[in-house]
Every structure is written in structure tokens, then in C-alpha cells.
Amino acid sequence: MKIKVVPGYYAPKLDNIINNDDKIHCVVWPRCNFRCVFCDFWQRDNIVFKEISLSNFEKVVEHLLPLGNAFKFTGGEPCLNPELFQMLEIVKDQGGICFLDTNGSMPNKVTKCIDAGLVDVLAVSLKSLELDKICKTTGISNKNLCWDNVCETIAYASASNTKTIVTKVIYDDFSYNELEAFAKIIHALGDNIYLKINNLMVNEYNASMRPVSQEKVTNIINTFLSNNKDFIGR
């Protein structure tokens, strides 16, 4: 089947597979079990997500592979999707690369996918660096869910030699000491973990927060790398 790429759309439209007139964005689960202060996804109630069968998903993967073989599974929280394992299998069976972007709260599901060789890259976001703040940041009262489980997921992926990216969202008074503390946590969880900094994306729900200036971010990172040479390249 011919792929028709429509300018301004998030992904190619696939004739006879996805052929409606709506904008298409591949999100494998529309909800999240966290309510993070810097994210507006869980607060949206005006977006209609269309379900897709596994058979149609297989056709989508088949037709997208010639355009690029890396598939990012995101959400919401993708591990809430009961068919996530099968979807990852479909991509891997067709020779694709699977990037799983998760909040890390469900280590049993993630480790099952890793053990089956279905995850090439795992991305997890640490929502806060201090236990007393983690519940407030995530909107979750269970510290095991939003801290212990997340650390377990990261450590397992690293120990399994899965390329692992740990993200820190920065905003307001982000400092060099905060980055050092972040790196210390990563060191404790594994040796082959990549560190990713995401500046705050402002939206109507987090208007009281502010992103960090590019100059400040650059200076902090450059100073950090000069003092932590083992993080150069990662």
C-alpha cells in the first residue's frame, strides 16, 4: 500500500490502514499513572485517541519501516497498555528498533520486555532527586511506586546492558549542585547510563514555573563535564 505523507501531521497517513482526516500521533497509551507538575498530558481531556488493532499496528510498522526503523513507545505511560509486549514483538520481528519511554513505575513489565530482547533503548525520567519531594512532584503518595520502582527499573536495565537514558526535567532555580546530585544517583544505579537534561516546556498548566535560561544551562553542563569526565559522551 502506498504511504501518503501529509505536511503538518505527526506521522505519515497510511491509505486503507489509517485514512481518516484527523491528525495522527502514535501514542501507545493515552493516560498516565503519574500526575507530574511539569507535564500536562494527564490533565488533557479534549484529545481523542483512536484505538488500533494489533493486526493493523503490524501493517503500520511494515509500511513505516522503509522511512525509519526506530519506533518510540511513549504515552501517557506505555506500560499501562496491556498489549505493549505484543507491539514490541511486532516491531522487533520486522527488524525495527524499540525505544521504550516509561516513568519506570512498573519494573515487572519492563524487565519482562528487556529479558525477551524487545527493548533496545530504555528512557526513564527521575521526577525529583529527594524522597521528600518525589511524591509532591509526581502527585503520587506511594513512594515505592514513584521512587523505589523507578530506581529498580533503571538499575535492571543498566545491568542488562540495555542502553539506558535517565532524564531530569529542569526548571526554576536549577543549579550545578542539583546536577551533581543527579549524577550521583545515576552512578549508584549503574555505569552505562546516559544523562539527559530536558528544559521545562511551558504550558497553561505550569504557568507558575519557568524554564532555565540557555546560557545558564550551558554553563552548568560545561562545568559539570569538566569535573566529571566520565560523563563526556553520555
Side-chain angles (χ1 to χ4, degrees):
M1 299 178 187
K2 182 181 179 182
I3 297 175
K4 179 173 64 177
V5 179
V6 179
Y9 282 68
Y10 290 108
K13 311 251 334 197
L14 306 179
D15 291 338
N16 300 316
I17 299 176
I18 299 175
N19 53 12
N20 57 70
D21 294 327
D22 295 330
K23 186 162 56 177
I24 302 300
H25 188 177
C26 187
V27 173
V28 298
W29 198 252
R31 299 297 176 193
C32 186
N33 56 338
F34 282 7
R35 302 168 66 86
C36 298
V37 296
F38 47 73
C39 178
D40 69 336
F41 202 97
W42 60 271
Q43 302 176 79
R44 303 178 187 179
D45 58 6
N46 60 346
I47 300 177
V48 176
F49 291 90
K50 296 185 179 298
E51 295 185 5
I52 184 172
S53 67
L54 284 176
S55 60
N56 267 358
F57 178 74
E58 188 168 6
K59 294 175 184 176
V60 169
V61 172
E62 178 184 347
H63 284 81
L64 288 179
L65 274 172
L67 300 179
N69 66 343
F71 290 77
K72 184 176 182 179
F73 287 76
T74 185
E77 172 49 51
C79 288
L80 291 173
N81 187 332
E83 295 181 332
L84 175 65
F85 191 92
Q86 294 95 316
M87 295 173 77
L88 291 167
E89 278 187 317
I90 287 171
V91 173
K92 295 300 293 180
D93 287 346
Q94 295 195 32
I97 295 171
C98 290
F99 184 120
L100 180 58
D101 187 10
T102 173
N103 61 27
S105 63
M106 289 169 273
N108 290 342
K109 289 192 174 183
V110 176
T111 56
K112 178 182 177 181
C113 294
I114 289 175
D115 289 345
L118 300 179
V119 180
D120 298 289
V121 181
L122 181 76
V124 180
S125 173
L126 275 180
K127 309 304 182 182
S128 183
L129 306 182
E130 301 175 26
L131 283 176
D132 60 340
K133 293 182 180 180
I134 191 73
C135 293
K136 180 178 179 181
T137 304
T138 60
I140 300 298
S141 59
N142 185 337
K143 288 184 179 180
N144 289 331
L145 183 68
C146 59
W147 180 260
D148 294 341
N149 285 10
V150 177
C151 291
E152 179 183 343
T153 297
I154 295 169
Y156 189 89
S158 176
S160 302
N161 293 318
T162 301
K163 181 173 286 188
T164 307
I165 301 169
V166 178
T167 300
K168 173 75 173 77
V169 177
I170 61 173
Y171 50 89
D172 294 345
D173 298 322
F174 175 68
S175 67
Y176 175 83
N177 289 337
E178 194 172 346
L179 182 55
E180 282 279 8
F182 185 41
K184 184 176 180 180
I185 292 172
I186 289 177
H187 268 306
L189 295 175
D191 298 325
N192 59 340
I193 300 173
Y194 290 77
L195 185 158
K196 184 183 179 205
I197 303 295
N198 275 4
N199 212 345
L200 177 72
M201 292 184 65
V202 180
N203 59 61
E204 62 180 300
Y205 302 104
N206 61 22
S208 63
M209 304 164 70
R210 65 186 190 277
V212 186
S213 72
Q214 185 62 47
E215 181 181 5
K216 181 178 180 179
V217 174
T218 301
N219 289 338
I220 288 176
I221 291 177
N222 285 338
T223 302
F224 171 80
L225 290 176
S226 68
N227 295 331
N228 299 270
K229 298 189 184 304
D230 56 321
F231 271 97
I232 294 176
R234 66 184 185 97

